[in-house]
Structures are given as structure tokens and as C-alpha cells.
């Protein structure tokens, strides 16, 4: 299994474990948690690894992206982002073959010397902090709903165990922090490989429940905070919108970029592939991205067609509000929570390694530094999850900055610096176009998001 929105975690077939003490000073993106040695991974297992890298918490925000852009606009944008993700992987694979480098930060060092390596390390650190924050936000919003679904309907709703922030703090201190503190957490990687199947199950439930929830929604239904509202819409508005342009549309592409980011895992998967050729790995990427695109599209489209103008920025909250005691909703909620609990410590690992690289270089493993880094990172992420009022802010800010850099900007810059094609070649022009697109989307989206915050504090 490999995760990238969550960090970078790689698994190969013979199950050999390596101590994290040995890995603390190894390259940031070369098989951090578990690493095995075999002749090579099969095509199918490599596709599965890449899909694990792609799919994560972003799936919960894509229905909101449809509500803020319209169905046709969303389909075009999602296809564009998926296609550009495949193209940027093509550039990375060419550079890997040309330079022999198989880690993202080393490509940054090769292209831009030490500042490039530091820049990539900072970007990966911020990306992983954002990913962890998004998962802890899910814990904050879903834990109370899960507990309420298991309690009697007559139970008062103001008990401490129904307070999302209190539950988040307790779970972080009692579960996430101890697991993040472990020097060997390889076993979590095998368990977290289930997260992909949990996301697939979530998509299936969304499709099924489309026909279980009426439209219009009951007038006495209390919709959760963060619900998208379209001007002049009403509860009886069950007509899908095909094109929408508003300030909230600025969250769409960053959320998509956040959802398709897998580039920090591509090169290690390439190195592990049986008969590793660029064409074979590109086919792995194309199949993995296409299947992920299909799952994303189904869950987002049917989620939107269920709630229309009332889609929440975190889709599960809509089902919590309408059918909190439905058995399928309860099981998918428990599955997502389990995936979160097992994945956050794994996301934490490459984030901590990024801090090591940035602050301590190649310094040998130290328990003092290990503990201090773990406490600091977990504290920062917990604080962000508590203070951020809406998960779309995480997707928007992280997606428009670090995700855009890792997905579009860095691969283009690295290729323009290191590529063996002349400046006027189609490959170089494509890389330049990718760079311009990434910069425009990132800067424009971030600007609109900040303006939206200022206007609606």
C-alpha cells in the first residue's frame, strides 16, 4: 500500500520490516514505513498501490465541489485535473529514467540545488499537516454523530461525550499520539490498506442512498453547518445545476488537486514495479487515475443529486442529519473513522521526516528529537482541526498551495530544468503550459478564498 494525500507509505510483497530508526535519516520519499525487497510488484498490485495513494479524505468534499460549480463544469474540471495529473507523472517518470533519481525531494535538489530540496521538504510537510488536519476534522465531526447513533433517541445531546472537540482531544491523546510515537508502526500500514476499500464502500453507499432520501428534503430537517446554499433556491428545488460561477467555485480545483495528489509515491512504486519501464508505469498511472476518477465521480455526482443545494462540505454530515440511525450509514461512518485513526499516524511519519531533513539534516536517530517532533506536530495538527470551522478551508488552502505545487508546478519546473528536450519541443512546451496552469490556478484560487474569508469572517 502507498498513500500520498496521507504522506508516503510503501508496501511490497514479502513483508520484511525495517526499523524506523534506520529510516529517520533516509530520503524523505523512499519507502518510509515498510520496505521489502522482491523482484518486483505486479501490474495489478502497483495499480492498487497507486489508488491507495490517490484516494483519501478528498472524496468527502467533491460533492460540495459539484454544488459550487455545477455538474458539467465539475466533470470538465475533474477530467482536466486527472489528465494533468497523469501528464505530470509522465514528466516525473522521464526525469527518473534520465537522472536515476527515485525520490521527489532529490529531484528538487538536482533541479534547484539545496534550496530546491528544502522547498520540496517544506511543501511536503505542509501538505501532510493539511492532510492530517482534514482527517482530524472528520473525527471531530463524525465521532459525536457515531455516538449519537448508538444512544437512545431520548438521550440529552449536551453530554461531554457528544462534544466533538472534547472527543477529538481525547482520541488524539489516547490513540493517535501513542501510535504516532511508536518507533515501529509498520503493522498500521497493513491495516490502513483497508482505507481504500472503506472509501469504495462509501461511494457504493452514496449511490444506494440516492433512492432512499426524498427530494425535497423534509422542511423540519436541520441541516448541518457548512451546507452550501445557492441564491434563490428553496427546499423544493430538486433541479440539478449544470453551470455555476461563484466565490465558492474557487474551492473546486484545489479540492480536486488535493484529491488526486499521488506524485510523491509514484517514483517508489516505479522502482518496485516488475519489468519497470516508463511505458508500463505510465499505464499503471493511467489505470489508477482512471479508476479513482470513476469512484470520485460516482460518489460526488450521486451525493450532489441526493442533497442538491444542501450538500455539506463534508458529505457524511448530510447523512448524519437525515438518517443518523441507518445501518449502512452507521457502518460506513465507522469504517471512515477506523481508516482515519489508522492513517493519521502514518501521515505523521513522513511529516516528521520532513522536519528532520529540514532542521537536522542527516543527524542519527534521537529519542529526544523524535518525541519533541511528534508532540509538536500532533499539537499543531490538533489545534488546526479544532480551530478550522469547515473542512473546505483545509481542502481550499492546502489544495491551492502545496497540492498544486506537488501536482503541477514542481514536475514542470523540474522537467524544464533537467529535461533533455530542447526548449521549443512539444514536451518542454507542455511542461511550461503545466507550470502556467498550476500557478494561475493556485494563486487565483487562494486569492478568492482569502477574499471570501475577509468578506464572510
Amino acid at each position: 500500500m502507498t498513500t500520498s494525500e496521507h504522506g508516503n507509505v510503501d508496501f511490497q510483497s514479502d513483508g520484511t520490516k525495517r526499523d524506523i530508526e534506520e529510516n529517520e535519516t533516509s530520503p524523505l520519499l523512499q519507502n518510509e514505513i515498510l520496505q521489502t525487497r522482491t523482484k518486483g510488484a505486479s501490474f495489478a498490485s502497483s495499480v492498487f498501490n497507486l489508488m491507495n495513494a490517490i484516494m483519501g479524505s478528498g472524496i468527502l468534499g467533491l460533492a460540495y465541489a459539484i454544488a459550487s460549480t455545477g455538474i458539467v463544469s465539475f466533470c470538465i474540471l475533474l477530467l482536466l485535473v486527472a489528465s494533468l495529473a497523469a501528464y505530470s507523472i509522465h514528466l516525473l517518470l522521464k526525469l527518473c529514467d534520465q537522472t536515476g533519481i527515485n525520490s521527489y525531494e532529490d529531484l528538487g535538489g538536482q533541479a534547484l540545488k539545496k534550496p530546491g530540496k528544502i522547498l520540496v521538504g517544506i511543501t511536503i510537510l505542509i501538505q501532510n499537516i493539511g492532510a492530517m488536519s482534514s482527517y482530524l476534522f472528520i473525527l471531530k465531526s463524525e465521532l459525536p454523530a457515531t455516538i449519537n447513533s448508538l444512544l437512545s433517541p431520548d438521550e440529552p445531546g449536551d453530554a461531554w461525550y457528544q462534544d466533538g472537540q472534547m472527543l477529538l482531544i481525547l482520541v488524539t491523546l489516547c490513540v493517535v499520539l501513542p501510535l504516532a510515537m511508536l518507533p515501529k508502526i509498520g503493522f498500521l500500514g497493513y491495516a490502513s490498506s483497508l482505507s481504500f476499500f472503506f472509501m469504495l464502500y462509501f461511494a457504493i453507499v452514496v449511490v444506494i442512498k440516492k433512492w432512499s432520501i426524498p427530494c425535497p428534503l423534509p422542511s423540519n430537517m436541520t441541516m448541518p453547518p457548512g451546507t452550501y446554499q445557492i441564491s434563490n433556491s428553496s427546499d423544493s428545488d430538486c433541479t440539478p445545476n449544470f453551470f455555476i460561477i461563484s466565490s465558492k467555485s474557487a474551492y473546486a480545483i484545489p479540492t480536486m488537486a488535493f484529491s488526486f495528489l499521488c506524485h510523491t509515491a509514484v517514483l517508489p512504486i516505479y522502482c518496485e514495479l516488475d519489468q519497470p519501464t516508463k511505458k508500463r508505469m505510465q499505464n499503471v498511472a493511467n489505470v489508477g487515475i482512471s479508476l479513482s476518477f470513476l469512484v470520485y465521480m460516482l460518489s460526488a455526482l450521486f451525493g450532489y443529486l441526493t442533497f442538491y443545494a444542501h450538500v455539506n462540505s463534508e458529505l457524511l454530515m448530510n447523512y448524519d442529519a437525515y438518517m443518523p440511525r441507518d445501518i449502512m450509514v452507521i457502518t460506513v461512518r465507522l469504517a471512515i473513522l477506523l481508516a482515519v485513526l489508522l492513517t493519521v499516524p502514518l501521515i505523521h511519519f513522513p511529516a516528521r521526516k520532513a522536519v528532520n531533513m529540514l532542521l537536522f539534516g542527516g543527524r542519527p536517530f534521537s529519542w529526544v528529537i523524535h518525541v519533541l517532533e511528534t508532540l509538536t506536530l500532533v499539537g499543531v495538527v490538533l489545534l488546526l482541526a479544532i480551530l478550522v470551522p469547515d473542512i473546505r478551508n483545509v481542502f481550499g488552502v492546502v489544495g491551492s498551495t502545496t497540492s498544486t505545487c506537488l501536482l503541477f508546478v514542481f514536475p514542470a519546473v523540474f522537467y524544464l530544468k533537467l529535461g533533455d528536450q530542447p526548449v521549443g519541443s512539444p514536451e518542454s512546451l507542455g511542461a511550461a503550459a503545466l507550470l502556467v496552469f498550476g500557478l494561475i490556478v493556485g494563486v487565483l484560487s487562494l486569492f478568492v478564498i482569502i477574499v471570501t474569508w475577509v468578506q464572510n469572517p
Side-chain angles (χ1 to χ4, degrees), residues 174-189:
C174 298
V175 180
V176 175
L177 180 60
L179 292 177
M181 196 71 73
L182 291 174
K184 299 179 182 180
I185 56 174
F187 74 94
L188 288 176

Side-chain angles (χ1 to χ4, degrees), residues 13 18 24 26 35 47 59 104 114 116 128-129 165 239 261 271 318 340 343 368 380 417 423 441 451:
S13 58
R18 293 184 63 185
E24 288 286 354
S26 65
Q35 191 165 6
V47 170
I59 195 173
Y104 208 113
K114 186 175 180 179
N128 286 342
I129 287 176
Q165 292 188 3
T239 303
L261 182 61
C271 295
N318 283 106
V340 167
T343 304
V368 174
V380 169
K417 290 288 291 185
V423 175
V441 166
V451 170

Side-chain angles (χ1 to χ4, degrees), residues 230-308:
I230 300 175
S231 60
N232 301 321
S233 66
S234 65
D235 288 340
S236 62
D237 186 1
C238 300
T239 303
N241 289 280
F242 295 97
F243 295 96
I244 299 174
I245 297 177
S246 71
S247 60
K248 293 182 176 63
S249 302
Y251 291 89
I253 292 184
T255 301
M256 296 174 193
F258 188 94
S259 301
F260 274 105
L261 182 61
C262 61
H263 294 52
T264 57
V266 166
L267 298 184
I269 292 176
Y270 183 25
C271 295
E272 298 156 13
L273 180 65
D274 186 31
Q275 301 175 9
T277 64
K278 178 186 174 299
K279 181 178 179 181
R280 184 172 169 83
M281 184 60 206
Q282 187 67 58
N283 289 335
V284 167
N286 293 342
V287 172
I289 290 175
S290 298
L291 292 176
S292 300
F293 173 89
L294 180 62
V295 175
Y296 279 154
M297 180 62 72
L298 285 174
S299 61
L301 181 60
F302 280 88
Y304 171 66
L305 292 177
T306 302
F307 298 103
Y308 295 96

Side-chain angles (χ1 to χ4, degrees), residues 112-123:
L112 303 173
K113 309 306 179 184
K114 186 175 180 179
K117 189 169 185 177
I118 293 174
L119 179 61
V120 172
I122 293 173
T123 305

Side-chain angles (χ1 to χ4, degrees), residues 18-54:
R18 293 184 63 185
D19 291 347
I20 285 182
E21 287 92 337
E22 297 175 353
N23 283 327
E24 288 286 354
T25 56
S26 65
L28 182 60
L29 295 172
Q30 292 183 0
N31 311 337
E32 284 101 338
I33 307 293
L34 289 181
Q35 191 165 6
T36 62
R37 301 295 181 186
T38 77
K39 292 183 178 179
S42 68
F43 183 91
S45 65
S46 297
V47 170
F48 177 75
N49 286 346
L50 191 66
M51 291 183 69
N52 270 301
I54 294 171

Side-chain angles (χ1 to χ4, degrees), residues 422-439:
V423 175
S425 66
E427 206 78 79
S428 297
L429 293 176
L434 184 68
L435 172 62
V436 172
F437 175 84
L439 290 174

Side-chain angles (χ1 to χ4, degrees), residues 137 141-142 224-225 312-322:
F137 187 95
S141 62
E142 292 301 326
N312 191 269
S313 59
E314 199 268 79
L315 183 57
L316 265 180
M317 293 179 68
N318 283 106
Y319 297 98
D320 296 341
Y322 182 77

